[in-house]
Amino acid sequence: MAKRKYTDIEKIKAIYESVKKNGYKKTSEIFDEHISLLERIVMRYQNNIVDNKMKVIIIAAGMGSRLKEMTKYLPKPLVEIEENKSLIEREIETLHKVGLNDIAIVRGYQKDKFTIKNVEYYDNDVYTENNILESLFFAEDAMEDGFICTYADSIFSQEIFQKILDAPYDMCIGVEPDWRKRYAKRDEHPTDEAELVKLEDGKITSISKFCNPDTYDGEFIGVAKFTKKGAEILRRNYHRARESKTCRFEDHQRFHDAVSIRKAYLTDMFQELIDRGYPIHAVKVNHGWVEIDTQQDFDYAKKLIENGEL
């Protein structure tokens, strides 16, 4: 008889109660093993449900100007990638599949076009004056109990979000080791724009766009996770760098690869944490994602979806 896979907690509980009520007439070691197994399944499933209450912050404030006419009157995350489904709607649908339902969106460019229901909105009304890091911190109120952050202009598989969610680290990011394959025919987005990482024992030691790609081990895919502890470390160090009058990262001074902290990317903040001795782990993925920055990227992603490859 084929094995049945139970994914609904109520069904598992029903089996558990049925075995207790209708199982063996006399207690036996086999019966005890069955009960013990079902108890562990229920506990593991319930623990996963608690984990999946983690907040998700989707960064969607930018203009996406390299898509030209497609984003002239529409934010890039709202561009339709499937029939009646935008990039960000597809991403939210995928997040729901792994139980991530508490979602916040940081919007900026043409913010009134975002009408997605059952999400929380944070507005970055100065999106032309800052960059991804500061945009993320407009949603700081959503960070306290831990969160996953992700870019709104990329497509990710369900497996990627599940791997990030399951990773047992306070701070981790998704990394694609086989990143060069994607750039083979991606001439509108050269490799020197890739956010590359260097690894040692599974931890990030360096992350940068300005590096020798031959000495780096993978590409940051745009998804990161911070537990409650990790979020506290991130927030504390961001404000130290952003607000301290004695900090070397004052306004108009460089912040790692960025011209200033206001213009910093997430990767600049990751490097700051690494330099201060905080471990950021890599969660390696094998494709299953596409960054959409140009028309060429858009066409590539659409073809993968149509062929059922993503």
Side-chain angles (χ1 to χ4, degrees), residues 280-308:
I280 298 180
H281 289 80
V283 178
K284 295 182 181 180
V285 304
N286 183 24
H287 307 303
W289 69 287
V290 178
E291 176 191 18
I292 298 174
D293 197 45
T294 67
Q295 182 68 51
Q296 189 180 59
D297 294 336
F298 180 83
D299 293 341
Y300 175 74
K302 198 170 181 65
K303 184 177 180 180
L304 289 181
I305 292 171
E306 289 172 353
N307 293 340

Side-chain angles (χ1 to χ4, degrees), residues 17 37 60-61 104 205 245:
E17 295 301 325
L37 174 61
T205 59
K245 292 181 180 180

Side-chain angles (χ1 to χ4, degrees), residues 89-292:
E89 287 172 326
R90 191 182 197 278
E91 185 166 16
I92 290 171
E93 182 180 88
T94 305
L95 288 164
H96 287 170
K97 289 178 180 178
V98 296
L100 291 165
N101 300 305
D102 193 355
I103 294 170
I105 296 174
V106 182
R107 58 188 179 176
Y109 173 63
Q110 297 196 26
K111 65 180 185 181
D112 294 338
K113 299 284 180 68
F114 287 88
T115 57
I116 299 167
K117 296 180 180 179
N118 301 316
V119 300
E120 189 173 2
Y121 288 105
Y122 294 88
D123 293 343
N124 175 5
D125 290 325
V126 288
Y127 60 89
T128 59
E129 300 172 21
N130 55 36
N131 208 333
I132 295 175
L133 175 61
E134 196 159 290
S135 196
L136 171 65
F137 269 83
F138 276 88
E140 185 173 2
D141 288 347
M143 297 181 183
E144 187 171 353
D145 294 322
F147 68 99
I148 289 173
C149 64
T150 178
Y151 295 157
D153 61 353
S154 296
I155 292 176
F156 302 100
S157 67
Q158 180 179 337
E159 289 74 21
I160 284 179
F161 285 130
Q162 191 68 60
K163 286 191 76 171
I164 295 287
L165 183 63
D166 292 343
Y169 309 117
D170 287 316
M171 295 186 288
C172 62
I173 67 174
V175 172
E176 169 68 81
D178 193 18
W179 66 279
R180 284 185 180 276
K181 187 177 292 185
R182 172 70 183 95
Y183 284 84
K185 298 180 181 179
R186 197 184 182 193
D187 45 37
E188 292 181 9
H189 189 290
T191 57
D192 59 10
E193 294 187 32
E195 296 176 320
L196 300 180
V197 303
K198 186 178 288 189
L199 301 175
E200 186 175 319
D201 297 327
K203 298 176 186 176
I204 313 296
T205 59
S206 179
I207 182 165
S208 177
K209 287 184 178 182
F210 304 102
C211 61
N212 177 358
D214 293 334
T215 65
Y216 276 61
D217 304 303
E219 181 178 11
F220 171 50
I221 69 170
V223 182
K225 184 182 78 171
F226 298 84
T227 63
K228 184 179 178 68
K229 178 181 177 181
E232 191 279 325
I233 292 170
L234 173 71
R235 295 167 69 196
R236 172 162 41 84
N237 281 275
Y238 170 78
H239 288 294
R240 173 192 53 74
R242 183 75 174 83
E243 300 166 7
S244 174
K245 292 181 180 180
T246 60
C247 181
R248 62 189 174 96
F249 298 123
E250 293 180 285
D251 236 358
H252 310 301
Q253 294 187 30
R254 292 198 68 84
F255 183 68
H256 300 284
D257 287 348
V259 296
S260 72
I261 193 167
R262 292 204 72 190
K263 291 290 187 179
Y265 289 84
L266 292 185
T267 51
D268 296 302
M269 193 66 226
F270 296 158
Q271 190 62 55
E272 173 67 5
L273 295 173
I274 292 164
D275 289 351
R276 296 185 69 82
Y278 296 103
I280 298 180
H281 289 80
V283 178
K284 295 182 181 180
V285 304
N286 183 24
H287 307 303
W289 69 287
V290 178
E291 176 191 18
I292 298 174

